[in-house]
Amino acid sequence: YIYLTYINDITITKSDCVSLNLIIVAVNQTYYVRTAGIYSYNNNQITFLYSVLISDPTGNLYLSNQTPLNYNQCNIITTSDLSNTSIFISPLIVSTPITFINTTAPTIIRVYILNQSDVTLGYGDVIHIYIETSLPVSVNKSPKLRLLFFNKTSNANYIGTFNKSLTVLPFEYTIEIGDYAQPLVYDGTSALVYGTINRYANPLSILPANRTLPDPYSSNGLSAYNFKIDSQVPYIKYLVPLKRSGVYGPNETIVILARFSVSVEVIGSPLLILQTSDNKTGNAYYIESSIFINRYQDILIEILDTDVLFEYIVQLDDNIASLHHNGSDSLVLPLGSQIRHKTTYSYISADISLRNPSDFTIENGEISRQWKYRFPAKVEIYLRDLFHTEVNSLDVSLKHSTGYISIFNSKTNYGRKFGKPYPRSRLRTNYTAIASDTAIGYNYLFGDTLSNNLALSGIATQSSTLYSPSYAIDGDLDPLLS
């Protein structure tokens, strides 16, 4: 609005005929001629209105000269004596800018999350995301911010006001089951979609904002806040007794670690039902990790936030060759107890079902068991159906990953033979009896107290067994080793 004030009250013979000549001087000193139409007049003041165009350059707005009025066959009459009046504006006023016109499109400065960083959220949690612009904008029709998850995209909804001057646009997203992001980011620089966002102007906002977002992984992007989204339902990957396999007597304790697929928190006192004899079960009770660390300082293991610990005290009437959980529903939550996904606000209860220990169904080509000892206690190396005439020149070693150990070598095996000939009356045959004394060299032990222990560096596999496939090592990595 441009106001022109007279000394005396005036009247205009035609209310819409008078206009005001203007000039925009752009930043590069280019001149653009413009005209403001009359908006209203009252007493001794005329109000002109110039609506800034999208095509207008950024620059200063001036009166065109000292006589900028276009009368267009109109007369401006002094009310007191009904005489025509004219206007002559001083050079100082003409050379002074009326205002500065800025037609730069607003840009997006940053995308941020308020007062939070380095947190993990889960199902049902609500995220508030804010977009800051370089200049005030007006929103008409709801835009959306497209978020990028591990296997999908989802839209955060605009929750701000409409047709108002804003420099911060708020968005909201409620985490759904299956959402996973490490960290949370939006789907590229074009992720601000739908709706209308224009530079704010009164009475009408028409200049579109530049909707290009900062790179999502830059310091002005969403990844800078390291928001982690994990709405997976936790499940038990395996149960691990934190002692080597062996025989245990009354009042000895066995700590059993239940490792879940993601971080969990425990409320109350869950318990784990164990099969302690053919027709008897016993309860292993939940033990907090801090108590475990103080009570069992000899068990050197890092307890993760995915771990839940149980303690079992061996009873006098326990009698079982291989301790294991009782069945698929062995992990029990008494009234008020919970195991749930550990997030900023926890909503998801864990899946505490277990695989039945007697279920040997092959999955993905192997037998998958949840109950595991830390690693094999002994691996015996047998070579059958083998004959060698120069035993003193043969070296045999076992290698795995970076581990190495000699089993049989020419310096120590003098006088030893490969297996037992069959039939016994024949010598130098290439067939040996399948018996416990047909082993070549020495049994190699993988015990957890040996200094040179190959089992600690990876997996152990067994292709067959004399008894049943259920006795075979399943090939899994030691669950307590990275």
Side-chain angles (χ1 to χ4, degrees), residues 35 45 54 110 120 154 248 255 295 300 309 317 346 469 471:
T35 301
Q45 182 174 276
I54 293 179
R110 62 176 179 141
T120 299
S154 292
Y248 295 87
V255 177
R295 187 178 296 173
L300 302 178
L309 297 164
D317 54 350
S346 298
Y471 289 90

Side-chain angles (χ1 to χ4, degrees), residues 327-401:
S328 59
D329 56 354
S330 294
L331 184 49
V332 178
L333 298 176
L335 183 64
S337 296
Q338 296 182 58
I339 299 176
R340 60 191 187 188
H341 192 182
K342 184 180 181 181
T343 59
T344 303
Y345 308 101
S346 298
Y347 291 95
I348 303 179
S349 294
D351 177 1
I352 59 171
S353 60
L354 293 163
R355 184 168 182 175
N356 195 303
S358 61
D359 181 6
F360 300 125
T361 305
I362 294 178
E363 297 179 356
N364 299 321
E366 62 182 28
I367 299 173
S368 178
R369 292 183 177 179
Q370 286 169 305
W371 183 273
K372 300 177 185 294
Y373 280 103
R374 288 194 60 179
F375 35 75
K378 182 175 72 172
V379 173
E380 296 180 347
I381 308 300
Y382 292 98
L383 296 179
R384 295 191 174 94
D385 301 335
L386 172 68
F387 175 76
H388 197 282
T389 57
E390 300 294 335
V391 65
N392 295 336
S393 65
L394 185 65
D395 292 337
V396 179
S397 62
L398 181 63
K399 298 179 181 179
H400 181 81
S401 185

Side-chain angles (χ1 to χ4, degrees), residues 244-245 373-378 446-449 453 455-456 478 481:
R244 75 185 70 172
S245 58
Y373 280 103
R374 288 194 60 179
F375 35 75
K378 182 175 72 172
F446 278 82
D448 58 0
T449 58
N453 190 343
L456 291 176
D478 180 345
L481 295 174

Side-chain angles (χ1 to χ4, degrees), residues 259-446:
R259 180 157 289 177
F260 284 80
S261 56
V262 294
S263 301
V264 293
E265 66 176 1
V266 178
I267 298 174
S269 301
L271 57 91
L272 180 67
I273 302 175
L274 303 176
Q275 191 72 42
T276 56
S277 68
D278 290 342
N279 53 9
K280 176 181 173 294
T281 61
N283 294 337
Y285 294 95
Y286 168 67
I287 176 175
E288 295 181 7
S289 57
S290 58
I291 297 175
F292 165 80
I293 292 171
N294 291 328
R295 187 178 296 173
Y296 297 96
Q297 297 183 16
D298 59 323
I299 301 180
L300 302 178
I301 179 176
E302 179 184 3
I303 302 301
L304 308 177
D305 56 8
T306 57
D307 300 340
V308 178
L309 297 164
F310 297 89
E311 182 182 58
Y312 180 69
I313 301 176
V314 179
Q315 303 300 305
L316 182 62
D317 54 350
D318 288 348
N319 182 17
I320 192 167
S322 178
L323 183 69
H324 56 269
H325 60 285
N326 174 251
S328 59
D329 56 354
S330 294
L331 184 49
V332 178
L333 298 176
L335 183 64
S337 296
Q338 296 182 58
I339 299 176
R340 60 191 187 188
H341 192 182
K342 184 180 181 181
T343 59
T344 303
Y345 308 101
S346 298
Y347 291 95
I348 303 179
S349 294
D351 177 1
I352 59 171
S353 60
L354 293 163
R355 184 168 182 175
N356 195 303
S358 61
D359 181 6
F360 300 125
T361 305
I362 294 178
E363 297 179 356
N364 299 321
E366 62 182 28
I367 299 173
S368 178
R369 292 183 177 179
Q370 286 169 305
W371 183 273
K372 300 177 185 294
Y373 280 103
R374 288 194 60 179
F375 35 75
K378 182 175 72 172
V379 173
E380 296 180 347
I381 308 300
Y382 292 98
L383 296 179
R384 295 191 174 94
D385 301 335
L386 172 68
F387 175 76
H388 197 282
T389 57
E390 300 294 335
V391 65
N392 295 336
S393 65
L394 185 65
D395 292 337
V396 179
S397 62
L398 181 63
K399 298 179 181 179
H400 181 81
S401 185
T402 57
Y404 171 92
I405 191 167
S406 176
I407 299 175
F408 190 82
N409 62 74
S410 57
K411 295 179 181 179
T412 60
N413 62 10
Y414 183 78
R416 300 178 67 87
K417 293 183 172 56
F418 284 86
K420 183 187 298 182
Y422 178 84
R424 293 173 185 262
S425 59
R426 293 175 54 191
L427 298 176
R428 299 193 174 216
T429 177
N430 64 350
Y431 186 80
T432 55
I434 300 176
S436 59
D437 60 353
T438 59
I440 298 175
Y442 302 95
N443 290 339
Y444 173 64
L445 300 183
F446 278 82

Side-chain angles (χ1 to χ4, degrees), residues 146-184:
R146 190 169 60 236
L147 301 177
L148 181 63
F149 295 97
F150 175 69
N151 56 358
K152 69 169 187 175
T153 58
S154 292
N155 291 328
N157 296 315
Y158 176 71
I159 58 171
T161 57
F162 295 94
N163 302 316
K164 300 291 184 182
S165 177
L166 303 168
T167 55
V168 175
L169 308 182
F171 292 80
E172 181 180 273
Y173 181 74
T174 302
I175 299 173
E176 302 171 350
I177 288 287
D179 288 350
Y180 182 85
Q182 302 280 342
L184 176 65

